[in-house]
Amino acid sequence: MSTPRTLPQSKEALLKSYRTRLKDDVKSMVENFEETVKLAKGEHDTQLSRMTQCEQDTYEMHVRAANMVRAGESLMKLVSDIKQYLILNDFPSVNEAIAQNSKLFRTKQTECDQKLMSLRDDISADLHDLEEEYYNSINK
Amino acid sequence: MSYSVNISVEAPIENQIQEITYDGQEIYQAPLTLSESLAKYAQKIDFSKIKTKKEPGDTSDDSKSDSDSKDSFQSNLWPWDSVRNKLRSALQEVCVLADVLAIAKDKRYMVLDPVQQEPVDTKPIVQMYARKKALAGAANVLLTGAERLKNSQNEAVQNRSNFHFELLRLRQNWRLKKVSNSIIGDLSYRTAGSKYSQPGIFEVTKAEDEEKPSSPPHSPLPGATPSVKSYSALRVTVPSELQGVAYISVLCQKDQEDLFSTNVNLLSSGPSTTNPDVHWQQKLEAAQNVLFCKELFNQLAKEAVQLQAPIPHMVVGNQIMATVLPGIQLIIGLCHSTSGDKKVPAATPAKTEHDHVLEHSLHQLLREVHHRNTHHPFPHPASGPLGPSKKRSLAGPNATDRYDLLEMTKSETLLEQIIKQAQHFFMRIRIGYVLDTIAKEVKDPLICSHWNSLNSPTQSCVKINIITHGYDVVYRTPLVIHIGEKTLKCICRDGKVMHMSYEPQELRDLIFCHINQHQILAVQSLAKIMGWQYLANSLHLGIGSVELLGNASSCILASPNGDRLIAVRCVPSQTGVQVSVAHSPRSDFFPSRLVTERKWEHLGGQFRDVRLDKMEGRNFLHKMELLMASLTSRNFLHKMELLMASLTSNS
C-alpha cells in the first residue's frame, strides 16, 4: 500500500472515473443548492409575468432538489462501487485470507494426522492383542 | 338659448401620478395619444374570438373537419387525418405571419408599434407565498431523498449480513472478478492444476426479491430475517450442469452378484441442494463437487477407452466396467442428481455402508494429478508450466541408460491405479479369508496372523506365526506374506521367498506345508529338550504313498540311552501325523531259533504304531512329550531296577 504500484491502463481509467464521478456529484449538489438559494432570493427581472415566473421557479426548485437527491444516491452507488472494487481487487487482503485459511487447514490437518496416528497405534496394538487372543482360543 | 353656456365635457385629469417630488408637485404620466389609445384598445380585441364568431363557416369547417376526423377515426380510414388538418391550419397561420412580417418590414403599409402594457399588480405577499411553497416542495423532495439514504445506511450498519460483507467473505474463499457490470466467480480446480475444460463459472448477484423491496419501509424486518433463516444478501447462480449432487459410485461385482459397493458422496450430509435458500457456500461446494466428480469420471472414461487391457474396459453411459480379477468386475459410475430426490440413483441398497476406501482413493488420485500439474520439481523454467521430473533431471548426472529413460516415461493412469487398488483390496480379503479358514480348520498348531498396520493402498503385509499351544517357546514357525496387487510374496522361516499368484489355493497349500514342517521341527526341538536325539530327518520323504500335496516329512528320534526309537511321519493333508515306536533291545529277551543271542536285539526291531488319538495330551507336542517321557522314564526305571538288582547281588 505504501509503495505506489503501477496499475494497468483499465484500472487507472476506472479509478479516474470514480474520481470524476465523485467530483461531478459533489459539484452538482453544490451548484444545485446554490441555484436553489438564488431562486429563493427571487431577484431577477424577466419579461415573463410574475405568476409564470413563480411557477417556473417552483418547478426549477423541485428539479434542483431532485438533482441533489440523485447526486446523493449516485454518491452512495459510488461508495458501493468502490467497496466492490476494493473487495474484488484487494489482493493483499485476499492473500492474507488465503494464507490464514491454509494455515488453519494445515494445523487442522496435522492435528487430524496426529489423532489418526495415535488412533492407529492404539488400534493396531489392540488388534494385535485381539488377534493373539482370537487365534489362541478354541472358539473360532 | 343665449344663456346657453358652453359646457365642456372632458375627462378629469386622471393621469396616473408617476412621481411626487419633495415640494409636493405631482408629475403625471403623459396621457396616451390617440394612436396609443387606439393601439391599446386594439390590443384588447381577441381576434381569434372575433374570427370564430364572424366566420361561422370556418367553425363549421372546423367541426366538419372534426367530424371528418372522427369519421375517419371511426372508420379507420386514415388515422392521421386530424393531424394533417392541424398541421395545415398551422401552416396557414405561419404563412400569414410571414406575410405580415414581410409587409411590416417595408414600413409603408403597416407599422408595428409597441403597446404599453398595463402593469399587472401582483402583491408581493402572494409572490412570497408562492416562493415559500416552492421551497417547501423542494425541501420535501430533499427530505424524502435523505430519508431513503439514511434508511439504506442504517440497514447497512445494522445488518452485518449485507451484500458487501457477504461479498468480502465470498472473495476470501472463492475467486471472483468483475466483468463489465456483473461479478463472475470461478469454482473450477484450474488454479489447483486441473486441466478439465469445462468452465466452472458462477455469477454473483445481489439478492433482490421478496425480502429486499419490503425492507426500506420496515427497517427492523431485514434485521430479523437473518436470525429466522440463513438469509443472505448475496445470490449465487451456478450453471445448470453443475447443479445438484454428484458422486462417484464404486461397485464391485462378482459374476453379476454384488460383492460390495461404495456409494460415497462428499456432501452426503447436505440437505436437498435444489432448495434456493441454501447458503451460497454450500451451494458452491456442491457445484464444485459436481465439477470434480465430472472431471474424475471424464478422466477415467478417457483412460478406459485408451487403455488396452487384455479384457477391454467398457464404458457405457455413466458407467465404466473394468475387470479386476477373473470373474470380478469393478464398476465405476457417475451419479448426478439434479432433482431434489437423491434416492433415485441409489440403486444399491443395504450394502452402501461398506467402506468408502476406493472412492476416496479415486478422489485422492485425481488430486494427486492436480498437485503434480502445479508442483514441478525445481529447477524448472520460471515461465514454463512444464519441467522435467526429478528423476529426469538426475538422469544426466547418473548417466541413465535408454531402458531406464524409457521406464521413466511410463506413467500409470488413474484407472490402472484404481484397478490395482481394487485388486489389492480383493487380495487382502481373500488372504484374510484363507488364513481364517485354515485357523478354523487346523486346531493343533495354532495359526496366528497379525496384520500389519502400516500399509499402502497396493501393498500390505501379514505376519503368520505357527505355534503349538503351550510350546510356543519351544518352536515357532514365522511366515511373512506380502500382499501385492496380483501376486503374493511369502518369506518363509528359512529365508526362502515364495511368489504366488492371486489364486488362494496356492497360499493354502503353502500354509499346510508349513504346518507339516512345523510339526516335525517342533518334535525335534522338543526331543532336544527331553534329552532325546534325532537320528534322521527328512522334510521331503521320497518313500511311502504318494500324497495329494507335496511330500510327507518324517524324523526318527532315539531315547537318551538309545534303546527306544520314535518315528514320526507327517502328511500335509489333513490325515495328520503317524507315530511309531520301536524298542531295541527289548526289555525281555527270549532266545529263538533265529535270534540266539541278546546282542542282536540292538539292531533294532519292529515299529509299532501309536494310536495318538487315544493318547492323553492337549495337542500333538504334548502327546509326544508324554510319550517321550513315558518311554524315558520306563527306561530309566528299568535301569534303576537293574542297578538295584546288581547292588543287592553284589552285597
Side-chain angles (χ1 to χ4, degrees), chain B residues 418-454:
Chain B
I418 199 68
I419 287 176
K420 277 188 179 169
Q421 293 193 10
Q423 283 169 344
H424 175 71
F425 179 80
F426 278 106
M427 287 300 279
R428 237 175 24 218
I429 286 184
R430 281 184 176 181
I431 302 307
Y433 179 73
V434 166
L435 291 178
D436 275 2
T437 44
I438 293 179
K440 256 185 245 173
E441 280 170 19
V442 181
K443 292 271 158 111
D444 187 357
L446 295 172
I447 294 157
C448 297
S449 44
H450 293 293
W451 289 85
N452 208 333
S453 58
L454 280 174

Side-chain angles (χ1 to χ4, degrees), chain B residues 142-172:
Chain B
L142 279 178
L143 279 178
T144 20
E147 185 73 16
R148 218 163 54 223
L149 288 186
K150 217 186 273 173
N151 265 342
S152 65
Q153 189 69 27
N154 276 350
E155 205 183 301
V157 172
Q158 279 172 9
N159 275 354
R160 303 306 282 176
S161 70
N162 69 0
F163 179 69
H164 287 107
F165 275 104
E166 299 260 339
L167 190 67
L168 184 62
R169 215 150 294 140
L170 187 72
R171 179 70 183 108
Q172 284 172 350

Side-chain angles (χ1 to χ4, degrees), chain B residues 542-581:
Chain B
I543 53 169
S545 57
V546 179
E547 303 298 334
L548 281 174
L549 173 67
N551 294 318
S553 48
S554 74
C555 69
I556 298 171
L557 307 170
S559 64
N561 61 357
D563 60 344
R564 310 290 161 105
L565 290 177
I566 298 176
V568 185
R569 178 189 157 96
C570 263
V571 182
S573 58
Q574 277 111 15
T575 50
V577 195
Q578 288 175 303
V579 181
S580 316
V581 187

Side-chain angles (χ1 to χ4, degrees), chain A residues 40-42 50 58 61-62 65 69 73 76 80 84 87-88 91 97 101 120 124 128 131-132 135-136 140, chain B residues 122 127 131 134 137-138 148-149 152-153 163-164 171-173 178 436 439 446-447 449-451 453-454:
Chain A
K41 264 177 163 177
R50 289 277 169 86
T58 311
M61 275 184 192
H62 273 88
V69 171
E73 297 212 332
M76 290 294 280
S80 133
Q84 213 176 72
I87 288 169
L88 293 183
F91 289 102
N101 268 353
R120 193 211 57 195
S124 65
H128 190 275
E131 277 173 343
E132 193 77 25
Y135 287 112
N136 279 327
K140 285 178 197 167
Chain B
T122 45
Q127 217 173 335
R131 201 160 286 157
R148 218 163 54 223
L149 288 186
S152 65
Q153 189 69 27
F163 179 69
H164 287 107
R171 179 70 183 108
Q172 284 172 350
N173 290 312
K178 187 147 185 165
D436 275 2
L446 295 172
I447 294 157
S449 44
H450 293 293
W451 289 85
S453 58
L454 280 174

